[in-house]
Amino acid sequence: MSTELTAGTLKIHGLPEDSPTPHAAEGIKYYSEEDQPKITKCVEDCIQHKQPYDDIFGFYPKGGGKIWVRANGLPVTNDKGELRELVGTFQDVTNQVKLLEDFEEHSTWLNSIIQNAPGMVYQYKVNADRKTDFPFISKQVMEIYEIEPEELKENPDLLMAMVHPEGLLGLQEAIAESAAKMSQFEWQGRLISKSGVIKTIYARSIPRRLVDGSLLFDGIMIDVSSRVRLEQDLEHERDRLIHASKLASIGELAAGVGHEINNPLMIIRGHLDLFQRSLEMDKPIKPQTLSKVRDAVSRIAEIVNGLRVYARQDDASTDNLRVASVVTKTTSLVGEIYQKDGIRLNFECDDENLFVEASEGRLQQVLMNLLGNARDAVIGRSRPEITIKTKSYSDSVVIEVQDNGCGINQEKKDKVFESFFTTKPVGQGTGMGLSISSELVKNMGGDISLESEEGKGTSFFVTLPAAKAENVVSMQAEHSTVLEDLQVSVLILDDEEGVREVLEILLEDLGMSVKTSGSGEEALAMMQTHSFDIVFTDLKKPGMLGDQFIENARAKGFDDSNFVVITGGVEQAVLDSLRSQGFPILLKPVAMEDVTEVLRERAKFHVA
């Protein structure tokens, strides 16, 4: 059988168009060695068994490198079924083969990435009829949800069913918003796996609209439970570090605070002696004398409360604070110490009614850190002076701490808020004060900055959000209550006899029926036989603690509205827990106006 090749076929062979057609055996040699047996068999089967063929083979044209050809053959027979000729096509498909190889390589590479990704890769489809399905889910669904991919494909509603109830609405809203705006979908929340394990999941995807009107989200879902736990641990350690920096200065403050308290105590002691002499000599007691004693007590209470607020380990929650009050409490703690160092400490307050949204304990710590740095900067100057100023803007309040110390050069100014950076000699500073202050201020929604000039001094500026006007009005009217007779039945539980006595006298003077107890067990017994509208309970006392007393009273059927907590100091966590449950808390020493205000807020009372 003779062979005829077209000009195009000869060209693929690398032969001129006028070349004689190679013999069949010679033509086989153009094929790659590994494909020569295959093409030989294909031709033989086509001739002998009239079996057509169509395949791709490696091929080496004359004078060229390897290419890929597609060769097919079709037997043509006569009326008797005898082979008359073999016809076929011969194509150079090198480019197509390379494209296919590249596609397969990239598919393998992409599949490897998907299957080894740190999370679940998915396609989530919302059809035009609002039904949903998962066209694709990677095997990591087992690690997150503990279900097989096919199980979720068959029942796509399983995903929503496993989302923690507290986050389901947020997830649905995030999907709806992404679909409406065709924007990136992003969500973090908790789910409950098949085995009941609660996990924190982060999901992100990009939506695209398909021609049939359905919406397809291509995304990834990652289990971030470990990261969230680590962040919580770091937050806890950060809080401990902040608290430790407070406690480090308590010892130094103690001497100054003692002196600050001794002064008003001297005033109280002196006037009490005058009271006794007046009574012995039957002389009237001057009203202004009583006022001075009251002012001295308030001064001590303010100092103690300032120290208590500073020393406690509080959370990052904010409140509406009077700036002047926080600054005064802070300066009262360090004033005596600075005075001994010859430092003049000023507070220039043009407006007593500036309020900010901040955490009192954390704002006080920021001021303490800035005052401590200012003190170190002015020691050794001829006339050391530190001034605190406040200024109000439309939506913020700025607190400035200014000193006339040595100042800071430009290079160091750029680093002062970095952790462990300090300008002090070795052993005299940790380099954490300003770093902690910066973090605290930013967590309260504010900002901190500085201006400094070498040899002239430094000013730090703390900018905080101003409290909302309606909240300020409410706070300023907070203690405007006028005392009236309150005819209610009261039980006072406190281990300090003197406290019980003075509260009993004051409350009876207001027209109340009062009984007292020194122990929780006795108070519980009294509550079984007497009907009390209000029960004042101390927290820190021998035997049954105040929170335990409330729990025991609850178990006996007493309502929470009966109780008012009054304490001189206890762990902040206990106070926070009771406050979150709605219990009023009064800190000793307590003003009668505060007691009366709390009584009026309770559900069971009668105003005479």
Side-chain angles (χ1 to χ4, degrees):
M1 183 183 295
S2 62
T3 305
E4 292 184 10
L5 301 180
T6 65
T9 302
L10 289 171
K11 184 177 180 180
I12 294 173
H13 280 70
L15 300 173
E17 293 183 7
D18 56 353
S19 298
T21 299
H23 188 271
E26 184 181 349
I28 293 295
K29 294 179 181 179
Y30 284 88
Y31 289 83
S32 63
E33 289 185 8
E34 60 269 22
D35 281 346
Q36 286 179 15
K38 184 169 70 170
I39 185 63
T40 300
K41 187 174 187 313
C42 286
V43 173
E44 289 177 352
D45 287 346
C46 187
I47 295 173
Q48 296 173 10
H49 306 293
K50 303 177 184 62
Q51 181 175 317
Y53 66 90
D54 187 350
D55 209 339
I56 294 175
F57 306 90
F59 195 81
Y60 287 90
K62 187 174 182 180
K66 183 178 181 179
I67 63 172
W68 293 92
V69 296
R70 179 182 179 184
N72 62 64
L74 182 67
V76 179
T77 59
N78 56 25
D79 295 340
K80 297 179 180 181
E82 299 172 339
L83 182 67
R84 184 163 60 88
E85 61 181 344
L86 188 154
V87 297
T89 61
F90 195 76
Q91 296 174 284
D92 183 349
V93 293
T94 304
N95 290 336
Q96 293 93 316
V97 170
K98 287 185 176 180
L99 285 173
L100 182 61
E101 288 177 345
D102 289 344
F103 176 77
E104 290 177 349
E105 181 182 351
H106 282 82
S107 295
T108 302
W109 171 74
L110 181 60
N111 186 62
S112 176
I113 290 177
I114 290 174
Q115 299 305 330
N116 292 284
M120 180 184 95
V121 178
Y122 67 91
Q123 286 184 318
Y124 178 68
K125 187 178 182 183
V126 181
N127 297 293
D129 59 3
R130 311 308 298 170
K131 291 183 179 180
T132 61
D133 61 75
F134 286 92
F136 176 81
I137 307 172
S138 67
K139 66 180 182 181
Q140 285 85 345
V141 68
M142 270 297 296
E143 299 174 11
I144 298 177
Y145 287 92
E146 300 170 10
I147 55 178
E148 294 289 347
E150 292 306 319
E151 188 177 354
L152 189 56
K153 285 183 178 181
E154 292 173 5
N155 186 6
D157 292 336
L158 274 177
L159 184 145
M160 290 294 183
M162 298 174 79
V163 174
H164 196 284
E166 70 180 19
L168 182 58
L169 180 60
L171 172 59
Q172 293 170 336
E173 290 176 345
I175 294 174
E177 181 179 359
S178 175
K181 298 180 179 179
M182 290 302 290
S183 59
Q184 177 177 282
F185 163 79
E186 193 168 13
W187 177 79
Q188 180 169 311
R190 297 194 297 169
L191 62 80
I192 305 173
S193 70
K194 194 173 184 178
S195 66
V197 177
I198 296 178
K199 301 179 180 181
T200 302
I201 301 302
Y202 172 76
R204 185 170 67 183
S205 62
I206 301 294
R208 53 192 172 102
R209 187 75 63 181
L210 303 183
V211 292
D212 62 357
S214 61
L215 198 63
L216 188 67
F217 291 85
D218 301 305
I220 186 168
M221 187 178 295
I222 303 173
D223 183 350
V224 294
S225 303
S226 298
R227 189 195 74 191
V228 170
R229 284 193 296 269
L230 178 60
E231 289 174 351
Q232 292 171 344
D233 290 343
L234 289 173
E235 179 73 13
H236 178 66
E237 290 302 316
R238 185 187 65 83
D239 289 341
R240 287 182 57 188
L241 176 62
I242 291 172
H243 189 56
S245 71
K246 288 183 180 181
L247 297 182
S249 60
I250 292 296
E252 184 180 8
L253 293 175
V257 170
H259 188 277
E260 287 290 319
I261 290 177
N262 279 334
N263 286 334
L265 281 177
M266 181 64 188
I267 295 172
I268 296 170
R269 178 63 181 269
H271 283 297
L272 286 176
D273 290 341
L274 291 174
F275 291 166
Q276 186 171 357
R277 288 185 61 188
S278 296
L279 291 172
E280 291 172 352
M281 299 174 66
D282 200 22
K283 290 183 178 181
I285 298 174
K286 297 178 181 180
Q288 59 266 36
T289 304
L290 289 172
S291 178
K292 289 179 181 179
V293 171
R294 189 187 186 98
D295 290 344
V297 171
S298 297
R299 183 176 167 189
I300 293 174
E302 188 172 275
I303 294 171
V304 172
N305 186 51
L307 188 60
R308 177 164 47 204
V309 170
Y310 178 67
R312 76 186 183 191
Q313 185 168 2
D314 57 347
D315 58 24
S317 59
T318 61
D319 200 356
N320 293 320
L321 306 176
R322 189 189 299 269
V323 175
S325 175
V326 179
V327 173
T328 301
K329 287 178 183 178
T330 307
T331 54
S332 69
L333 295 177
V334 299
E336 177 65 21
I337 299 172
Y338 287 26
Q339 186 177 350
K340 288 182 177 179
D341 290 332
I343 301 171
R344 183 178 178 183
L345 182 57
N346 309 307
F347 177 30
E348 297 179 5
C349 181
D350 295 332
D351 188 351
E352 292 279 349
N353 293 316
L354 293 182
F355 290 82
V356 294
E357 293 182 12
S359 162
E360 183 175 9
R362 298 195 171 195
L363 176 55
Q364 193 177 44
Q365 183 172 4
V366 170
L367 293 176
M368 287 288 285
N369 287 342
L370 295 180
L371 287 172
N373 279 349
R375 176 195 177 195
D376 292 338
V378 300
I379 287 180
R381 308 290 285 182
S382 59
R383 294 182 180 178
E385 188 172 2
I386 301 171
T387 302
I388 302 176
K389 302 177 182 179
T390 57
K391 189 172 183 179
S392 175
Y393 294 90
S394 59
D395 58 354
S396 63
V397 174
V398 177
I399 306 171
E400 178 185 358
V401 179
Q402 179 188 81
D403 68 65
N404 63 346
C406 55
I408 308 172
N409 63 40
Q410 184 59 48
E411 181 183 356
K412 292 178 179 178
K413 278 170 60 177
D414 296 335
K415 300 179 180 179
V416 293
F417 295 115
E418 295 179 4
S419 298
F420 307 110
F421 177 80
T422 179
T423 60
K424 300 171 186 176
V426 177
Q428 294 187 22
T430 63
M432 293 300 294
L434 289 176
S435 172
I436 290 173
S437 297
S438 176
E439 183 176 359
L440 291 177
V441 172
K442 288 178 181 177
N443 287 343
M444 291 187 287
D447 186 45
I448 184 170
S449 59
L450 79 154
E451 292 179 0
S452 185
E453 186 174 348
E454 282 190 277
K456 291 188 176 182
T458 301
S459 288
F460 282 89
F461 302 91
V462 176
T463 304
L464 293 169
K468 296 179 180 178
E470 58 269 24
N471 294 336
V472 171
V473 172
S474 173
M475 292 173 64
Q476 289 173 329
E478 207 169 68
H479 299 294
S480 61
T481 308
V482 178
L483 292 179
E484 301 175 19
D485 289 343
L486 300 176
Q487 295 180 345
V488 292
S489 177
V490 177
L491 173 61
I492 299 170
L493 170 59
D494 199 295
D495 63 312
E496 184 70 41
E497 183 178 359
V499 173
R500 297 198 303 270
E501 287 180 355
V502 72
L503 281 175
E504 181 179 13
I505 293 170
L506 291 171
L507 294 179
E508 284 181 343
D509 191 54
L510 292 173
M512 303 180 200
S513 172
V514 183
K515 292 188 178 297
T516 66
S517 173
S519 74
E521 292 80 3
E522 181 186 33
L524 285 173
M526 293 173 67
M527 291 173 69
Q528 296 284 359
T529 57
H530 295 76
S531 177
F532 295 104
D533 297 310
I534 302 294
V535 178
F536 284 92
T537 176
D538 190 14
L539 285 180
K540 203 168 185 179
K541 57 184 185 297
M544 189 186 300
L545 297 176
D547 52 334
Q548 296 171 343
F549 166 72
I550 292 175
E551 286 299 323
N552 290 334
R554 279 173 167 171
K556 294 181 181 297
F558 291 97
D559 191 83
D560 287 354
S561 63
N562 290 114
F563 300 99
V564 175
V565 175
I566 180 168
T567 181
V570 74
E571 290 183 7
Q572 188 63 31
V574 176
L575 290 179
D576 289 340
S577 174
L578 292 170
R579 190 176 283 113
S580 68
Q581 297 174 61
F583 291 107
I585 296 176
L586 297 174
L587 299 177
K588 299 175 183 176
V590 181
M592 281 310 299
E593 292 90 341
D594 295 330
V595 175
T596 307
E597 188 67 28
V598 167
L599 289 171
R600 290 202 176 103
E601 291 174 357
R602 304 314 282 167
K604 299 176 181 178
F605 69 90
H606 300 281
V607 179

